[in-house]
Amino acid sequence: MKTLWKRATGLLLSSALIFSLAACTSGGTGDTNTKQPDASGSPQASEPAMPDSGATGEKLVYTNGGPEEFFETPWLNPGTYVYNKAVYGHLIVADENLNPIPDHPDALATYEYSTDGKTLTFTLRDDAYWHNGDKVTPEDIKWSIEFVSKTPVANAVFVSTFSAIEGSKTNDVFNETFSGIAIDGQKITITFDKIAPDALLTFTQFAPVPKSEFEGIDPLQVQQAPFFQHPIGCGPFMVEEVNMKNYTILAPFDKYYNGVADFKIQMLPSAGDSDPNVVTRAKSGNLDYGYTKMISDVQALEGTPGITITPIDVRYTRLFFLNKFDKQDGSPAPLADARVRQAIRYAIDMSTICETLFQGAAVPANAMAPDANLKDSSLNDYNYDPAKAKELLADAGWDANTTIKVVYYYTDQATVDLMTAIQAYLADVGIKMEFELVEGDLATILWAAPADQTNGPRAVDWDMCYAANAALSLHEYYDRYRTGSPTNSHTPEDAELNRLIDATNASADVNAQNEAFKDLIKYENENMFTMALYYQPIFLITSDKIGDIQLGTPQFCINWDIQNWNVQ
């Protein structure tokens, strides 16, 4: 359902309260001098020179995210850049919820997936061509999987899936070729030696490339390959002209098998979601499709004629990791009791924080995953209730002399303000909290797992860690909480939690996985083994020139049907 941005009008707390909270003393340190963006977004950079395309009468769609020094490979951040979605083809097409769509006309292949999850067979279409005119072959697909697995720019979900292919590794090192990938005519059969729960998701995002273009290229140096100065794909648009640091033109590919566009795309350079010129570009008619995470950009564009801003839910969650392992001195963890964890969540007024501190650019969370289709109405939203928090603390026998240590690694002022506000909220219910910025070897400081993940003691020095999860796969959210995970620095063995996590990984069927995730999310919401705080949506910016389009996360590849956009 399309939901348009509406500026928050009723603030639940006055600005004076937030400022007073920010003035409170903290038990830690932070960068209190970080500059915040002004109402027009990030500091404006000088605009690059652009070609005079209007004189030719061509239809042009303007977007950002164009290359500055090279085109980023399509395997690390699969859909962050428009060119990754428009230039490359994919074996499977995903819907707006990142679920696979069988037999979608934009897919490079049809697929059959065995019920035991051990065999995935693609039948490659015979009318797919690379932009250099060569046919897309099964050998290209097989080689792409094998080559990309050995690069340092492969998404973690891809690597997990490829690691499950039979014969993919020897002594935990990827082999040159995989015995588990077989070719028979146009068929490519992948045999797994274990369940790869994200196999279908992987192939909605994984972009194969022509083998002939990578002769002699070291996979460890792939981003420096000449290919990524002018990449070749098999998608609906091809790279026509590249003027690095200025502009790039994508033209319709006349051999694309599912319709040929009647417009070109002009990309201006910027980082994928950090365009400092997004406001000026949109207001001047030089942005028809783009996105931002900055509420200041949204506010600056509000009311701009011909511009629509739509918040899009993405899998990006800010949360507190909760350390439930005993301390090094043998004393019990302050957060070991679920009632204490629940009390903390009741004590924090996330609705007010989202509306004031984040100016309406965040949404309170009731679980890590933001996916509404995986939640039922019984989930507890933990709406602000200090009386309930005090009741739970009393039931748990909370010692008012206990101090909770919170760590964070963000250096912006907004994080300091958030920590200060939460400190004040917890003090109101009788919980002492200190917070501290940590720097250095964060992998050890934050995620070192105890030698004994059943009994502890902890290997890290904190009770709560403020952090974020950005995930392609839901398994990236939850697998780290299972006993034995190398980054499980926080959650002692919980047989029920392990069972629920294992259930999400036990089936190759997406529907079965989703049902398992529903059960896991319900348990998370009740048990509070972790504490989701808020979701940060992305704001999609579109112009009236492109009309209604398929909405969905702009960071990944979905069924956006770009070649059929009705461009005015």
Side-chain angles (χ1 to χ4, degrees), residues 47-53 60 62-69 71 83 229-230 239-250 265-270 281:
E47 280 287 63
M50 294 184 291
D52 183 12
S53 303
L60 275 179
Y62 294 98
T63 189
N64 51 11
E68 296 183 292
E69 297 180 51
F71 290 81
Y83 56 76
Q229 293 297 306
H230 195 113
V239 177
E240 180 182 71
E241 182 181 357
V242 182
N243 189 326
M244 288 292 180
K245 297 185 179 180
N246 283 300
Y247 65 87
T248 297
I249 301 294
L250 305 182
I265 300 172
Q266 181 169 299
M267 299 187 298
L268 298 177
S270 67
R281 288 173 178 174

Side-chain angles (χ1 to χ4, degrees), residues 8 23 71-72 92 98 107 121 135 139 157 162 298 390-391 431 436 453 490:
F71 290 81
E72 186 179 277
I92 305 174
L98 297 180
T121 301
K135 263 200 166 186
E139 288 76 15
V157 174
F162 298 160
V298 174
K390 291 177 181 179
E391 177 186 336
I431 298 176
E436 175 186 354
Q453 287 193 19
H490 37 71

Side-chain angles (χ1 to χ4, degrees), residues 111-146:
Y111 70 91
E112 296 179 8
Y113 202 13
S114 63
T115 55
D116 63 3
K118 294 299 184 70
T119 305
L120 176 58
T121 301
F122 293 107
T123 301
L124 185 67
R125 60 190 311 143
D126 60 6
D127 58 350
Y129 290 85
W130 300 114
H131 297 155
N132 62 9
D134 295 341
K135 263 200 166 186
V136 179
T137 68
E139 288 76 15
D140 288 320
I141 307 301
K142 180 179 188 294
W143 173 88
S144 292
I145 296 170
E146 294 167 340

Side-chain angles (χ1 to χ4, degrees), residues 202-235:
T202 291
F203 289 109
T204 67
Q205 305 300 311
F206 176 70
V209 290
K211 176 182 179 181
S212 62
E213 298 290 328
F214 287 84
E215 293 294 335
I217 298 299
D218 180 356
L220 297 179
Q221 303 294 324
V222 67
Q223 183 62 86
Q224 287 74 47
F227 179 87
F228 291 109
Q229 293 297 306
H230 195 113
I232 294 169
C234 57

Side-chain angles (χ1 to χ4, degrees), residues 449-529:
D452 183 349
Q453 287 193 19
T454 299
N455 301 306
R458 66 182 58 178
V460 295
D461 182 26
W462 50 265
D463 297 307
M464 299 199 300
C465 172
Y466 176 63
N469 269 0
L472 167 58
S473 161
L474 289 172
H475 298 101
E476 292 181 272
Y477 271 123
Y478 291 101
D479 284 358
R480 66 188 303 159
Y481 293 88
R482 199 199 186 288
T483 305
S485 165
T487 58
N488 180 15
S489 60
H490 37 71
T491 302
E493 183 173 22
D494 176 340
E496 178 64 5
L497 177 58
N498 286 345
R499 183 190 71 79
L500 291 167
I501 293 172
D502 289 346
T504 68
N505 289 284
S507 174
D509 181 78
V510 173
N511 292 326
Q513 288 181 33
N514 285 344
E515 290 303 311
F517 275 118
K518 288 180 182 179
D519 293 336
L520 177 54
I521 289 170
K522 183 174 175 59
Y523 184 74
E524 172 199 357
N525 181 257
E526 295 169 348
N527 177 273
M528 195 71 67
F529 59 81

Side-chain angles (χ1 to χ4, degrees), residues 70-396:
F70 51 76
F71 290 81
E72 186 179 277
T73 77
W75 310 307
L76 184 61
N77 302 299
T80 293
Y81 299 95
V82 165
Y83 56 76
N84 281 353
K85 297 193 284 286
V87 170
Y88 300 101
H90 301 85
L91 290 162
I92 305 174
V93 172
D95 67 16
E96 62 276 13
N97 294 315
L98 297 180
N99 293 321
I101 305 174
D103 304 320
H104 192 280
D106 273 326
L108 277 171
T110 57
Y111 70 91
E112 296 179 8
Y113 202 13
S114 63
T115 55
D116 63 3
K118 294 299 184 70
T119 305
L120 176 58
T121 301
F122 293 107
T123 301
L124 185 67
R125 60 190 311 143
D126 60 6
D127 58 350
Y129 290 85
W130 300 114
H131 297 155
N132 62 9
D134 295 341
K135 263 200 166 186
V136 179
T137 68
E139 288 76 15
D140 288 320
I141 307 301
K142 180 179 188 294
W143 173 88
S144 292
I145 296 170
E146 294 167 340
F147 180 81
V148 171
S149 69
K150 292 181 275 291
T151 72
V153 291
N155 185 281
V157 174
F158 297 179
V159 174
S160 177
T161 295
F162 298 160
S163 297
I165 297 175
E166 189 176 279
S168 62
K169 285 185 171 182
T170 301
N171 297 326
D172 208 34
V173 176
F174 279 108
N175 295 321
E176 190 67 23
T177 60
F178 299 176
S179 61
I181 305 179
I183 294 173
D184 180 11
Q186 290 293 101
K187 288 187 180 295
I188 308 148
T189 300
I190 300 176
T191 303
F192 298 97
D193 57 16
K194 59 183 178 180
I195 293 291
D198 289 322
L200 296 184
L201 175 62
T202 291
F203 289 109
T204 67
Q205 305 300 311
F206 176 70
V209 290
K211 176 182 179 181
S212 62
E213 298 290 328
F214 287 84
E215 293 294 335
I217 298 299
D218 180 356
L220 297 179
Q221 303 294 324
V222 67
Q223 183 62 86
Q224 287 74 47
F227 179 87
F228 291 109
Q229 293 297 306
H230 195 113
I232 294 169
C234 57
F237 286 84
M238 59 188 293
V239 177
E240 180 182 71
E241 182 181 357
V242 182
N243 189 326
M244 288 292 180
K245 297 185 179 180
N246 283 300
Y247 65 87
T248 297
I249 301 294
L250 305 182
F253 181 40
D254 61 5
K255 287 189 175 182
Y256 187 63
Y257 45 81
N258 190 33
V260 178
D262 65 354
F263 61 92
K264 292 183 178 182
I265 300 172
Q266 181 169 299
M267 299 187 298
L268 298 177
S270 67
D273 55 11
S274 302
D275 183 357
N277 294 305
V278 66
V279 172
T280 56
R281 288 173 178 174
K283 286 192 171 184
S284 63
N286 290 323
L287 188 69
D288 298 308
Y289 180 92
Y291 62 94
T292 182
K293 293 179 179 177
M294 299 291 293
I295 187 61
S296 54
D297 291 340
V298 174
Q299 291 171 335
L301 287 172
E302 188 177 10
T304 302
I307 292 293
T308 296
I309 301 179
T310 309
I312 302 292
D313 290 336
V314 294
R315 290 173 181 167
Y316 184 86
T317 308
R318 292 289 182 105
L319 71 158
F320 277 138
F321 286 88
L322 306 177
N323 198 339
K324 301 167 289 295
F325 284 108
D326 288 347
K327 295 184 177 182
Q328 283 288 344
D329 62 7
S331 59
L335 306 183
D337 192 318
R339 291 170 295 184
V340 174
R341 304 193 294 268
Q342 293 166 346
I344 290 172
R345 187 61 183 83
Y346 275 121
I348 302 171
D349 189 350
M350 280 310 306
S351 292
T352 292
I353 288 173
C354 288
E355 289 293 336
T356 54
L357 208 58
F358 300 130
Q359 303 177 66
V363 179
N366 57 10
M368 278 191 292
D371 305 54
N373 61 313
L374 301 180
K375 301 177 181 181
D376 62 41
S377 58
S378 68
L379 293 190
N380 186 348
D381 290 330
Y382 290 93
N383 294 320
Y384 180 53
D385 191 340
K388 180 68 173 177
K390 291 177 181 179
E391 177 186 336
L392 286 166
L393 291 172
D395 289 346

